[in-house]
Coordinates of all heavy atoms in Angstrom, one line a residue:
M1 N 0.8 -1.2 0.0 CA 0.0 0.0 0.0 C 0.9 1.3 0.0 O 0.6 2.2 -0.7 CB -0.9 0.0 1.2 CG -1.9 1.1 1.3 SD -3.1 1.0 0.0 CE -4.3 2.1 0.5
K2 N 1.9 1.2 0.8 CA 2.8 2.4 0.9 C 3.5 2.6 -0.4 O 3.7 3.8 -0.9 CB 3.9 2.2 2.0 CG 3.4 2.5 3.4 CD 4.6 2.5 4.3 CE 4.2 3.0 5.7 NZ 5.4 3.0 6.6
R3 N 3.9 1.5 -1.1 CA 4.5 1.7 -2.4 C 3.6 2.3 -3.4 O 4.0 3.1 -4.2 CB 5.0 0.3 -2.9 CG 6.2 -0.2 -2.3 CD 6.7 -1.5 -2.9 NE 7.9 -2.0 -2.2 CZ 8.5 -3.1 -2.5 NH1 8.0 -3.8 -3.5 NH2 9.5 -3.5 -1.9
S4 N 2.3 1.9 -3.4 CA 1.4 2.5 -4.3 C 1.2 4.0 -4.1 O 1.2 4.8 -5.1 CB 0.0 1.9 -4.2 OG 0.1 0.5 -4.5
I5 N 1.1 4.4 -2.9 CA 1.0 5.8 -2.5 C 2.2 6.6 -2.9 O 2.2 7.7 -3.5 CB 0.7 6.0 -1.0 CG1 -0.7 5.5 -0.7 CG2 0.7 7.5 -0.6 CD1 -1.1 5.4 0.7
T6 N 3.4 6.0 -2.7 CA 4.7 6.6 -3.0 C 4.8 6.8 -4.6 O 5.2 7.8 -5.1 CB 5.8 5.8 -2.5 OG1 5.7 5.7 -1.1 CG2 7.2 6.5 -2.8
A7 N 4.4 5.7 -5.3 CA 4.4 5.7 -6.8 C 3.5 6.8 -7.3 O 3.9 7.6 -8.2 CB 4.1 4.4 -7.3
I8 N 2.3 6.9 -6.8 CA 1.3 7.9 -7.2 C 1.8 9.3 -6.9 O 1.8 10.2 -7.8 CB 0.0 7.7 -6.6 CG1 -0.6 6.4 -7.2 CG2 -1.0 8.8 -6.9 CD1 -1.9 5.9 -6.5
A9 N 2.4 9.5 -5.7 CA 2.9 10.8 -5.4 C 4.1 11.2 -6.3 O 4.2 12.4 -6.7 CB 3.3 10.8 -3.9
S10 N 4.9 10.2 -6.6 CA 6.1 10.5 -7.4 C 5.6 10.9 -8.8 O 6.2 11.8 -9.5 CB 7.0 9.3 -7.5 OG 7.6 9.1 -6.2
A11 N 4.7 10.2 -9.4 CA 4.1 10.4 -10.7 C 3.5 11.8 -10.8 O 3.7 12.6 -11.7 CB 3.2 9.3 -11.1
L12 N 2.8 12.1 -9.7 CA 2.1 13.5 -9.7 C 3.2 14.6 -9.6 O 3.1 15.6 -10.3 CB 1.2 13.5 -8.5 CG 0.4 14.8 -8.3 CD1 -0.5 15.1 -9.5 CD2 -0.5 14.8 -7.1
A13 N 4.2 14.4 -8.8 CA 5.2 15.4 -8.7 C 6.0 15.6 -10.0 O 6.3 16.7 -10.5 CB 6.2 15.0 -7.6
L14 N 6.2 14.5 -10.7 CA 6.8 14.5 -12.0 C 6.0 15.3 -13.1 O 6.5 16.1 -13.8 CB 7.2 13.1 -12.5 CG 7.9 13.0 -13.9 CD1 9.3 13.7 -13.8 CD2 8.1 11.6 -14.3
A15 N 4.7 15.0 -13.0 CA 3.8 15.7 -14.0 C 3.7 17.2 -13.7 O 3.7 18.0 -14.6 CB 2.4 15.1 -13.8
V16 N 3.7 17.5 -12.5 CA 3.7 19.0 -12.1 C 5.0 19.6 -12.5 O 5.0 20.8 -13.1 CB 3.4 19.2 -10.6 CG1 3.6 20.6 -10.2 CG2 2.0 18.7 -10.2
A17 N 6.1 19.0 -12.4 CA 7.4 19.5 -12.7 C 7.6 19.6 -14.3 O 8.3 20.5 -14.8 CB 8.5 18.7 -12.1
A18 N 6.9 18.8 -15.0 CA 7.0 18.8 -16.5 C 6.4 20.0 -17.1 O 6.9 20.5 -18.1 CB 6.4 17.5 -17.0
G19 N 5.3 20.5 -16.5 CA 4.7 21.7 -17.1 C 5.6 22.9 -17.3 O 5.7 23.4 -18.4
P20 N 6.3 23.3 -16.2 CA 7.2 24.4 -16.4 C 8.4 24.1 -17.4 O 8.8 25.0 -18.1 CB 7.7 24.7 -15.0 CG 6.7 24.2 -14.1 CD 6.1 23.0 -14.8
A21 N 8.8 22.9 -17.4 CA 9.9 22.5 -18.3 C 9.4 22.8 -19.8 O 10.2 23.3 -20.6 CB 10.3 21.1 -18.1
L22 N 8.2 22.4 -20.1 CA 7.7 22.6 -21.4 C 7.5 24.1 -21.7 O 7.8 24.6 -22.8 CB 6.4 21.9 -21.6 CG 6.4 20.4 -21.7 CD1 5.0 19.8 -21.8 CD2 7.3 19.9 -22.9
A23 N 7.1 24.8 -20.7 CA 6.9 26.3 -20.8 C 8.1 27.0 -21.2 O 8.1 27.9 -22.0 CB 6.3 26.8 -19.5
F24 N 9.3 26.5 -20.7 CA 10.5 27.2 -21.1 C 11.1 26.8 -22.4 O 12.0 27.4 -22.9 CB 11.5 27.0 -20.0 CG 11.2 27.7 -18.7 CD1 10.9 26.9 -17.6 CD2 11.1 29.0 -18.6 CE1 10.5 27.5 -16.4 CE2 10.7 29.7 -17.4 CZ 10.4 28.9 -16.3
H25 N 10.6 25.7 -23.0 CA 11.0 25.2 -24.2 C 10.5 26.1 -25.4 O 11.1 26.3 -26.4 CB 10.6 23.7 -24.4 CG 11.3 23.0 -25.5 ND1 10.7 22.9 -26.7 CD2 12.4 22.3 -25.5 CE1 11.5 22.2 -27.5 NE2 12.5 21.8 -26.8
C26 N 9.2 26.5 -25.3 CA 8.6 27.2 -26.3 C 9.3 28.5 -26.8 O 9.6 28.7 -28.0 CB 7.2 27.7 -25.9 SG 6.1 26.4 -25.2
P27 N 9.7 29.4 -25.8 CA 10.4 30.6 -26.2 C 11.7 30.3 -27.0 O 12.1 31.0 -27.9 CB 10.7 31.3 -24.9 CG 9.7 30.8 -24.0 CD 9.4 29.4 -24.4
K28 N 12.4 29.2 -26.6 CA 13.6 28.9 -27.4 C 13.3 28.5 -28.8 O 14.0 28.9 -29.7 CB 14.4 27.7 -26.6 CG 15.0 28.1 -25.3 CD 15.6 27.0 -24.6 CE 16.1 27.4 -23.3 NZ 16.7 26.2 -22.5
D29 N 12.3 27.7 -29.0 CA 11.9 27.3 -30.3 C 11.5 28.5 -31.2 O 11.8 28.6 -32.3 CB 10.7 26.3 -30.3 CG 11.1 25.0 -29.7 OD1 12.3 24.7 -29.6 OD2 10.2 24.2 -29.4
I30 N 10.7 29.4 -30.5 CA 10.2 30.6 -31.2 C 11.4 31.5 -31.6 O 11.4 32.0 -32.7 CB 9.2 31.3 -30.4 CG1 7.9 30.4 -30.3 CG2 8.8 32.7 -30.9 CD1 6.9 30.8 -29.2
A31 N 12.3 31.7 -30.7 CA 13.5 32.5 -31.0 C 14.3 31.9 -32.1 O 14.8 32.6 -33.0 CB 14.4 32.7 -29.8
A32 N 14.5 30.6 -32.1 CA 15.2 29.9 -33.2 C 14.5 30.0 -34.5 O 15.2 30.2 -35.5 CB 15.4 28.4 -32.8
N33 N 13.2 30.0 -34.5 CA 12.4 30.2 -35.7 C 12.6 31.6 -36.2 O 12.7 31.8 -37.4 CB 11.0 30.0 -35.5 CG 10.6 28.5 -35.4 OD1 11.4 27.6 -35.8 ND2 9.5 28.2 -34.9
N34 N 12.7 32.6 -35.3 CA 12.9 34.0 -35.8 C 14.3 34.1 -36.5 O 14.4 34.7 -37.6 CB 12.9 35.0 -34.6 CG 11.5 35.2 -34.1 OD1 10.5 35.2 -34.9 ND2 11.4 35.5 -32.9
E35 N 15.3 33.4 -36.0 CA 16.6 33.4 -36.7 C 16.5 32.7 -38.0 O 17.1 33.1 -39.0 CB 17.6 32.8 -35.8 CG 17.9 33.6 -34.6 CD 18.9 32.9 -33.6 OE1 19.5 31.9 -34.0 OE2 19.0 33.4 -32.5
A36 N 15.8 31.6 -38.1 CA 15.6 30.8 -39.3 C 14.9 31.6 -40.3 O 15.2 31.5 -41.5 CB 14.9 29.5 -39.0
I37 N 13.9 32.3 -39.9 CA 13.1 33.1 -40.9 C 14.0 34.2 -41.4 O 14.0 34.5 -42.6 CB 11.9 33.7 -40.2 CG1 10.9 32.6 -39.9 CG2 11.2 34.8 -41.0 CD1 9.7 33.0 -38.9
A38 N 14.8 34.9 -40.6 CA 15.7 35.9 -41.1 C 16.7 35.3 -42.1 O 17.0 36.0 -43.1 CB 16.4 36.6 -39.9
A39 N 17.2 34.2 -41.8 CA 18.2 33.5 -42.7 C 17.5 33.1 -44.0 O 18.1 33.3 -45.1 CB 18.8 32.3 -42.0
A40 N 16.3 32.7 -43.9 CA 15.5 32.3 -45.1 C 15.3 33.5 -46.0 O 15.3 33.4 -47.2 CB 14.2 31.6 -44.7
E41 N 15.0 34.7 -45.4 CA 14.8 35.9 -46.1 C 16.1 36.3 -46.9 O 16.0 36.6 -48.1 CB 14.4 37.0 -45.2 CG 12.9 36.9 -44.7 CD 12.5 38.0 -43.7 OE1 13.4 38.3 -42.8 OE2 11.4 38.5 -43.8
K42 N 17.2 36.1 -46.2 CA 18.5 36.4 -46.9 C 18.8 35.4 -48.0 O 19.4 35.8 -49.0 CB 19.6 36.4 -45.9 CG 19.6 37.5 -44.9 CD 20.7 37.4 -43.9 CE 20.6 38.5 -42.9 NZ 21.7 38.5 -41.8
R43 N 18.3 34.2 -47.9 CA 18.5 33.2 -48.9 C 17.6 33.4 -50.1 O 17.7 32.7 -51.1 CB 18.3 31.8 -48.4 CG 19.4 31.3 -47.5 CD 19.3 29.7 -47.3 NE 17.9 29.2 -47.2 CZ 17.3 29.0 -46.0 NH1 17.8 29.3 -44.9 NH2 16.0 28.5 -46.0
G44 N 16.6 34.2 -49.9 CA 15.7 34.5 -51.0 C 14.5 33.5 -51.1 O 13.9 33.3 -52.1
V45 N 14.1 32.9 -49.9 CA 13.0 32.1 -49.9 C 11.7 32.9 -50.2 O 11.7 34.1 -49.9 CB 12.8 31.4 -48.5 CG1 11.5 30.7 -48.3 CG2 14.0 30.5 -48.2
S46 N 10.8 32.3 -50.9 CA 9.6 33.1 -51.4 C 8.9 33.8 -50.3 O 8.8 33.4 -49.1 CB 8.6 32.1 -52.1 OG 7.9 31.3 -51.2
A47 N 8.3 34.9 -50.7 CA 7.6 35.8 -49.7 C 6.4 35.0 -49.1 O 6.1 35.2 -47.9 CB 7.1 37.0 -50.4
D48 N 5.8 34.1 -49.9 CA 4.6 33.3 -49.3 C 5.1 32.4 -48.2 O 4.4 32.3 -47.2 CB 4.0 32.5 -50.5 CG 3.2 33.4 -51.4 OD1 2.9 34.5 -51.1 OD2 2.9 32.8 -52.5
K49 N 6.2 31.7 -48.4 CA 6.7 30.8 -47.4 C 7.2 31.6 -46.1 O 7.0 31.2 -45.0 CB 7.9 30.0 -47.9 CG 7.5 28.9 -48.9 CD 8.6 28.1 -49.3 CE 8.1 27.0 -50.2 NZ 9.2 26.0 -50.6
I50 N 7.8 32.8 -46.4 CA 8.2 33.6 -45.2 C 7.0 34.0 -44.4 O 7.0 34.0 -43.2 CB 9.0 34.8 -45.7 CG1 10.3 34.4 -46.4 CG2 9.2 35.8 -44.6 CD1 11.3 33.7 -45.4
A51 N 5.9 34.5 -45.1 CA 4.7 34.9 -44.5 C 4.1 33.8 -43.7 O 3.6 34.0 -42.5 CB 3.7 35.5 -45.5
E52 N 4.0 32.6 -44.2 CA 3.5 31.4 -43.6 C 4.3 31.1 -42.3 O 3.7 30.8 -41.3 CB 3.4 30.2 -44.5 CG 2.8 29.0 -43.9 CD 1.4 29.0 -43.4 OE1 0.7 30.1 -43.6 OE2 0.9 28.1 -42.8
A53 N 5.6 31.1 -42.4 CA 6.5 30.8 -41.3 C 6.3 31.8 -40.2 O 6.2 31.5 -39.0 CB 7.9 30.8 -41.8
K54 N 6.1 33.1 -40.5 CA 5.9 34.1 -39.5 C 4.6 34.0 -38.9 O 4.4 34.1 -37.6 CB 6.0 35.5 -40.2 CG 7.4 35.9 -40.5 CD 7.5 37.3 -41.1 CE 8.9 37.8 -41.4 NZ 8.9 39.1 -42.0
R55 N 3.5 33.6 -39.6 CA 2.2 33.4 -39.1 C 2.2 32.2 -38.1 O 1.7 32.3 -37.0 CB 1.2 33.1 -40.2 CG -0.2 32.9 -39.7 CD -1.2 32.4 -40.8 NE -0.9 31.0 -41.1 CZ -1.2 29.9 -40.3 NH1 -1.8 30.1 -39.1 NH2 -0.9 28.7 -40.6
L56 N 2.9 31.1 -38.5 CA 3.0 30.0 -37.6 C 3.7 30.3 -36.3 O 3.4 29.9 -35.2 CB 3.6 28.8 -38.3 CG 2.8 28.1 -39.3 CD1 3.6 27.1 -40.1 CD2 1.6 27.3 -38.7
N57 N 4.8 31.1 -36.5 CA 5.6 31.4 -35.3 C 4.8 32.4 -34.4 O 4.9 32.2 -33.1 CB 6.9 32.1 -35.7 CG 8.1 31.7 -34.8 OD1 8.1 30.6 -34.3 ND2 8.9 32.7 -34.6
D58 N 4.1 33.3 -34.9 CA 3.2 34.2 -34.1 C 2.2 33.3 -33.4 O 1.9 33.6 -32.2 CB 2.6 35.2 -35.0 CG 3.5 36.3 -35.5 OD1 4.7 36.4 -35.0 OD2 3.1 37.0 -36.4
E59 N 1.6 32.4 -34.1 CA 0.6 31.5 -33.5 C 1.2 30.7 -32.3 O 0.6 30.5 -31.2 CB 0.0 30.5 -34.5 CG -1.1 29.6 -34.0 CD -1.6 28.7 -35.0 OE1 -1.5 29.0 -36.2 OE2 -2.2 27.7 -34.6
A60 N 2.5 30.2 -32.5 CA 3.2 29.5 -31.5 C 3.3 30.3 -30.2 O 3.2 29.9 -29.1 CB 4.5 29.0 -32.0
L61 N 3.7 31.6 -30.4 CA 3.9 32.5 -29.3 C 2.6 32.7 -28.6 O 2.5 32.7 -27.3 CB 4.4 33.9 -29.8 CG 4.6 34.9 -28.7 CD1 5.6 34.5 -27.7 CD2 5.1 36.2 -29.4
K62 N 1.5 32.9 -29.3 CA 0.2 33.1 -28.7 C -0.2 31.9 -27.9 O -0.8 32.0 -26.8 CB -0.9 33.4 -29.7 CG -0.7 34.8 -30.3 CD -1.7 35.1 -31.4 CE -1.5 36.5 -32.0 NZ -2.3 36.7 -33.2
L63 N 0.0 30.7 -28.4 CA -0.3 29.5 -27.7 C 0.5 29.3 -26.4 O 0.0 28.9 -25.4 CB 0.0 28.2 -28.6 CG -1.0 28.1 -29.7 CD1 -0.5 27.1 -30.8 CD2 -2.4 27.6 -29.2
H64 N 1.8 29.7 -26.5 CA 2.7 29.7 -25.3 C 2.1 30.6 -24.2 O 2.0 30.3 -23.1 CB 4.1 30.1 -25.7 CG 4.9 30.4 -24.5 ND1 5.4 29.5 -23.6 CD2 5.4 31.6 -24.0 CE1 6.1 30.1 -22.7 NE2 6.1 31.4 -22.9
Q65 N 1.7 31.8 -24.7 CA 1.2 32.8 -23.7 C -0.1 32.4 -23.1 O -0.4 32.8 -22.0 CB 1.1 34.2 -24.4 CG 2.4 34.8 -24.7 CD 2.3 36.0 -25.7 OE1 1.3 36.2 -26.4 NE2 3.3 36.8 -25.7
A66 N -0.8 31.5 -23.8 CA -2.1 31.0 -23.3 C -1.9 29.8 -22.5 O -2.9 29.2 -22.0 CB -3.0 30.7 -24.5
G67 N -0.7 29.3 -22.3 CA -0.4 28.2 -21.5 C -0.5 26.9 -22.2 O -0.5 25.8 -21.6
K68 N -0.7 26.9 -23.5 CA -0.9 25.7 -24.3 C 0.5 25.3 -24.9 O 0.8 25.4 -26.1 CB -1.9 25.9 -25.4 CG -3.3 26.2 -24.9 CD -4.2 26.5 -26.0 CE -5.6 26.8 -25.4 NZ -6.6 27.1 -26.4
H69 N 1.4 24.8 -24.0 CA 2.8 24.7 -24.4 C 3.0 23.6 -25.4 O 3.9 23.8 -26.3 CB 3.6 24.5 -23.1 CG 3.5 25.6 -22.2 ND1 3.9 26.9 -22.5 CD2 2.8 25.7 -21.0 CE1 3.6 27.7 -21.5 NE2 2.9 27.0 -20.6
Q70 N 2.4 22.4 -25.3 CA 2.6 21.4 -26.2 C 2.2 21.8 -27.6 O 2.8 21.6 -28.6 CB 2.0 20.1 -25.8 CG 2.3 18.9 -26.7 CD 3.9 18.6 -26.8 OE1 4.5 18.5 -25.7 NE2 4.4 18.6 -28.0
E71 N 1.0 22.5 -27.7 CA 0.5 23.0 -29.0 C 1.5 24.0 -29.5 O 1.7 24.1 -30.7 CB -0.9 23.6 -28.8 CG -2.0 22.6 -28.5 CD -3.3 23.2 -28.3 OE1 -3.8 24.0 -29.1 OE2 -3.9 23.0 -27.2
S72 N 2.0 24.9 -28.6 CA 3.0 25.9 -29.1 C 4.2 25.2 -29.7 O 4.7 25.6 -30.7 CB 3.4 26.7 -27.9 OG 4.4 27.6 -28.2
I73 N 4.7 24.2 -29.0 CA 5.9 23.5 -29.5 C 5.6 22.8 -30.9 O 6.4 22.9 -31.8 CB 6.4 22.4 -28.5 CG1 7.0 23.1 -27.3 CG2 7.4 21.4 -29.1 CD1 7.2 22.2 -26.1
D74 N 4.4 22.2 -31.0 CA 4.1 21.5 -32.2 C 3.9 22.5 -33.4 O 4.4 22.3 -34.5 CB 2.7 20.8 -32.0 CG 2.8 19.6 -31.1 OD1 4.0 19.2 -30.8 OD2 1.8 19.1 -30.6
T75 N 3.3 23.7 -33.1 CA 3.2 24.7 -34.1 C 4.5 25.3 -34.5 O 4.8 25.5 -35.7 CB 2.2 25.8 -33.6 OG1 1.0 25.2 -33.2 CG2 2.0 26.9 -34.6
A76 N 5.4 25.6 -33.5 CA 6.7 26.1 -33.8 C 7.5 25.1 -34.7 O 8.2 25.6 -35.6 CB 7.4 26.4 -32.5
A77 N 7.3 23.8 -34.5 CA 8.0 22.8 -35.3 C 7.6 22.9 -36.8 O 8.4 22.5 -37.6 CB 7.8 21.5 -34.7
K78 N 6.4 23.3 -37.1 CA 5.9 23.4 -38.4 C 6.7 24.5 -39.3 O 6.7 24.4 -40.5 CB 4.4 23.7 -38.5 CG 3.6 22.6 -37.9 CD 2.1 23.0 -37.9 CE 1.3 22.0 -37.2 NZ -0.1 22.4 -37.2
V79 N 7.3 25.4 -38.6 CA 8.0 26.5 -39.3 C 9.2 25.9 -40.1 O 9.4 26.3 -41.2 CB 8.5 27.6 -38.3 CG1 9.4 28.6 -39.0 CG2 7.3 28.3 -37.7
K80 N 9.9 25.0 -39.5 CA 11.0 24.4 -40.2 C 10.5 23.7 -41.5 O 11.2 23.7 -42.5 CB 11.7 23.4 -39.3 CG 12.5 24.0 -38.2 CD 13.2 23.0 -37.3 CE 13.9 23.7 -36.2 NZ 14.5 22.8 -35.3
G81 N 9.4 23.0 -41.5 CA 8.8 22.4 -42.7 C 8.5 23.4 -43.8 O 8.7 23.2 -44.9
V82 N 8.0 24.5 -43.3 CA 7.6 25.6 -44.3 C 8.8 26.1 -45.0 O 8.9 26.4 -46.2 CB 6.8 26.7 -43.6 CG1 6.6 27.9 -44.6 CG2 5.4 26.2 -43.2
L83 N 9.9 26.3 -44.2 CA 11.1 26.9 -44.7 C 12.0 25.9 -45.4 O 13.0 26.3 -46.0 CB 11.9 27.6 -43.6 CG 11.2 28.8 -42.9 CD1 12.0 29.3 -41.8 CD2 10.9 29.9 -43.9
G84 N 11.7 24.7 -45.2 CA 12.5 23.6 -45.8 C 13.8 23.4 -45.1 O 14.8 23.0 -45.7
S85 N 13.8 23.7 -43.8 CA 15.0 23.5 -43.0 C 15.2 22.1 -42.5 O 14.2 21.4 -42.2 CB 15.0 24.4 -41.8 OG 14.9 25.8 -42.2

């Protein structure tokens, strides 16, 4: 019985600690995307792709600010696909 309670308490503590860890990951991804977008502009990537990458990155920032960190990370990851990185 004690093991079960300890295991549940440990799992709960891990879940609570994971939230802030994800929260700090989003801004790094968004900042990296800003750099990738600037580099893509210099390489002459089409204006349509640049606009889509910026839109996705802005959406990722809004999701982060709303506390939707996994969605923010997933959206930020799409920027690389748009830019062909």
Side-chain angles (χ1 to χ4, degrees):
M1 182 70 163
K2 279 186 171 182
R3 283 186 182 177
S4 295
I5 292 172
T6 302
I8 291 171
S10 296
L12 183 59
L14 182 61
V16 170
L22 290 176
F24 292 114
H25 194 267
C26 309
K28 290 178 184 177
D29 290 348
I30 293 165
N33 285 343
N34 285 330
E35 292 176 13
I37 291 167
E41 287 175 319
K42 289 179 183 177
R43 286 193 324 264
V45 172
S46 75
D48 289 343
K49 288 185 178 184
I50 296 294
E52 177 66 5
K54 286 180 179 180
R55 184 192 68 75
L56 286 168
N57 213 37
D58 289 345
E59 183 180 336
L61 178 60
K62 288 177 185 172
L63 288 166
H64 166 71
Q65 291 169 339
K68 298 177 179 180
H69 301 294
Q70 187 59 54
E71 290 176 55
S72 175
I73 290 168
D74 294 342
T75 302
K78 293 176 184 178
V79 172
K80 292 180 182 179
V82 169
L83 297 177
S85 302

